[in-house]
Amino acid sequence: MSGAFEKVIIGDLVTPTEVIRDGFLAVAGERIAVIGQGEPPAAAEIFDFRGRLVLPGLVDGHMHTSSALGWEAIGDATRSAAAGGITTVVDMPYDVPLPVTDAALLAAKIGCVERSAHVDMALYGTIRKTGGLGAIPELAAGGITAFKLSTYEYDPVRFPRIDHATMFEAFREIAKTGLPVAIHNEDQELVDALTAKARAAGRTEPIMHCRTRPPLAETMADLAIFEMGLAAGAHVHIAHSSLARGFAIAEAFRRRGGAATGETCVHYLCMSEADIVRLGGRGKCNPPFRAAAEIAALWEALLADKIAYVSTDHAPWPIARKTDPDIFACGAGLTGLQSFAPLMFTLLSERGLSPTLLATYGAERSAMLHGLHPRKGALRPGSECDLLVLEEGDFPFDEALIQDRPELRWSAYHGRRMRARVAATVLRGRLVWDGERVLAAPGSGRFVRRESA
Ligand SMILES: [Zn+2]
């Protein structure tokens, strides 16, 4: 290696396997050229993050920019991602007014990403409630990283329930593409019956959200999707398991030869039923928060390497949709892009666990499942230079600092003491967040295609 590099980045590097104190990254163009320790090579420009933790930029494998506000919201949501150290987001397809169900809609959404995104974005695709299976090959060819289907219906067009016969047929078609299919896993009949009963009894207080979507609603759906996946030869992935049992079920199907995986979301690793009672609509998400004992069980599953990755399921409803005292009237979904990195770091730190696990479950593994690794989610020569820089300290989370539209500046973690803050974010070698301001312009994020099976 001769001559000076364009750029050198100095700090304590956190890879999925080790912390390299006083490390450096030499950057050529948009990619990492050299990773090392000690005296850095000469460079035209230096990003000096000495004393701070430098991780791979996070890859959020599950979030929703456009469920409430349409594709226009991509620009603002990705500003928040940049401020949160998330350099690649994988966006769900259930958009207003139309979900991503064919090549033309995918191309239009990609156009919007290229014009407005502040970080890189990969995309899920889905199918129409009926008659849409023919579009599966063109969606895969268009570069989506995964399919998403649901066993539960929020809306017959935007977020439909796919019946078992159609789902099985879809799995057989998706299997031919080699892509995974993530499933929203809640049993419709059980949830609808319990909800109708609660409403009839006038029970609409927050805890009833948990009571009407019990663990059984999730595990019944898990079993159905994995049985169909096993029979169809498809890689079926639980889009969010709030239960350690979901990962035990996935493991049982892997032992039978199935490609069965699941992710959890960071809120299930720290929130319990008591939190929806405390937070009301701001704590409503699906699946709901569980009994407190489930948190420890999920951490056990994580440390036993049974969880594919950890995501945010960022699904921001305007605050006006989160404050109704009738819990059933509130939108389901939390904001999470800016709280993810500090919160996950804090949860690990509180348990005496290494930040390498944040690099593993928040970047490497999600990039792998979505076929983006090692271009994304890695600190190694040849990888794109996407970085999350954490400053350790005592920082209460302040929802007012969320870099999104005013109506989306709310958080279930407001006031929560975090042991780190995002001091900087680097996207393909360029500083996009300096700890106070988003420096990226709209359109500096790119659409990223699935690259590997
Ligand atoms: Zn989701």
Side-chain angles (χ1 to χ4, degrees):
M1 202 60 69
S2 64
F5 288 97
E6 290 166 40
K7 195 173 294 168
V8 157
I9 294 161
I10 303 168
D12 293 334
L13 307 180
V14 181
T15 78
T17 52
E18 61 181 331
V19 178
I20 304 169
R21 297 285 168 197
D22 301 315
F24 66 83
L25 299 166
V27 183
E30 298 187 332
R31 297 192 183 240
I32 296 168
V34 181
I35 176 169
Q37 190 172 28
E39 190 61 30
E45 194 180 359
I46 293 174
F47 289 174
D48 187 349
F49 299 128
R50 255 176 292 196
R52 305 208 169 150
L53 300 175
V54 179
L55 292 87
L58 300 188
V59 177
D60 185 4
H62 179 165
M63 48 85 79
H64 306 251
T65 56
S66 308
S67 295
L69 302 164
W71 293 343
E72 257 182 60
I74 290 173
D76 291 310
T78 51
R79 281 175 55 79
S80 186
I86 300 173
T87 48
T88 306
V89 290
V90 190
D91 198 36
M92 283 295 172
Y94 296 130
D95 302 334
V96 171
L98 287 175
V100 179
T101 52
D102 61 40
L105 283 160
L106 175 61
K109 187 169 183 181
I110 291 169
C112 187
V113 170
E114 299 274 0
R115 279 192 304 279
S116 64
H118 295 79
V119 299
D120 287 351
M121 182 178 270
L123 297 173
Y124 283 85
T126 188
I127 61 171
R128 293 198 301 273
K129 187 174 170 70
T130 55
L133 299 185
I136 287 171
E138 70 191 40
L139 284 165
I144 62 167
T145 62
F147 287 87
K148 169 82 179 275
L149 308 181
S150 181
T151 61
Y152 186 87
E153 184 154 299
Y154 290 95
D155 181 281
V157 174
R158 187 182 68 81
F159 201 140
R161 171 177 186 262
I162 304 299
D163 66 71
H164 287 348
T166 307
M167 188 172 278
F168 180 57
E169 215 181 321
F171 282 3
R172 287 167 51 148
E173 291 306 309
I174 291 169
K176 293 176 196 166
T177 70
L179 268 61
V181 53
I183 309 292
H184 181 103
N185 54 323
E186 291 185 293
D187 184 84
Q188 182 105 36
E189 286 181 25
L190 195 55
V191 170
D192 286 357
L194 291 170
T195 305
K197 204 171 156 189
R199 278 183 180 285
R203 297 288 306 275
T204 60
E205 72 274 22
I207 193 62
M208 294 312 290
H209 180 60
C210 304
R211 297 290 173 264
T212 54
R213 308 178 98 92
L216 184 63
E218 222 183 300
T219 53
M220 279 169 63
D222 293 343
L223 285 168
I225 62 175
F226 284 144
E227 284 292 354
M228 286 188 277
L230 190 63
H235 175 181
V236 172
H237 175 83
I238 304 174
H240 29 40
S241 187
S242 66
L243 303 164
R245 174 145 171 76
F247 300 103
I249 293 172
E251 190 181 32
F253 278 84
R254 286 199 296 278
R255 280 203 298 267
R256 296 296 301 265
T261 56
E263 75 197 61
T264 195
C265 310
V266 66
H267 37 273
Y268 302 121
L269 291 170
C270 60
M271 295 291 214
S272 71
E273 289 179 351
D275 292 299
I276 192 171
V277 173
R278 174 175 63 87
L279 294 161
R282 285 176 174 80
K284 177 177 175 179
C285 58
N286 290 331
F289 302 156
R290 299 300 185 189
E294 198 61 49
I295 296 173
L298 277 176
W299 276 100
E300 218 174 282
L302 185 91
L303 296 175
D305 201 12
K306 292 181 182 183
I307 298 181
Y309 62 82
V310 180
S311 63
T312 66
D313 197 9
H314 172 82
W317 293 96
I319 188 62
R321 290 288 318 278
K322 299 293 280 181
T323 51
D324 199 306
D326 174 353
I327 196 68
F328 300 118
C330 296
L334 308 181
T335 68
L337 296 173
Q338 264 177 260
S339 46
F340 185 36
L343 179 61
M344 194 67 194
F345 176 85
T346 303
L347 296 175
L348 291 166
S349 169
E350 286 169 350
R351 287 165 177 77
L353 297 169
S354 170
T356 56
L357 292 170
L358 174 54
T360 302
Y361 289 100
E364 179 186 57
R365 294 291 189 82
S366 37
M368 282 177 171
L369 191 129
H370 288 279
L372 303 170
H373 191 268
R375 176 182 169 193
K376 298 294 190 186
L379 292 188
R380 44 167 105 159
S383 298
E384 291 186 345
C385 185
D386 297 337
L387 307 173
L388 155 68
V389 181
L390 289 176
E391 175 186 357
E392 293 181 75
D394 181 9
F395 304 99
F397 189 81
D398 182 357
E399 62 190 6
L401 299 180
I402 292 177
Q403 304 290 308
D404 205 327
R405 299 169 179 227
E407 66 270 31
L408 304 183
R409 288 178 203 154
W410 62 270
S411 169
Y413 307 104
H414 182 60
R416 208 301 186 182
R417 289 174 77 169
M418 304 290 190
R419 293 188 179 184
R421 71 174 197 108
V422 180
T425 305
V426 173
L427 175 68
R428 286 182 266 105
R430 292 170 64 180
L431 193 66
V432 295
W433 167 250
D434 67 2
E436 284 173 18
R437 287 171 308 137
V438 175
L439 306 174
S444 40
R446 283 183 195 150
F447 170 65
V448 283
R449 298 176 61 95
R450 187 178 184 93
E451 290 187 343
S452 51

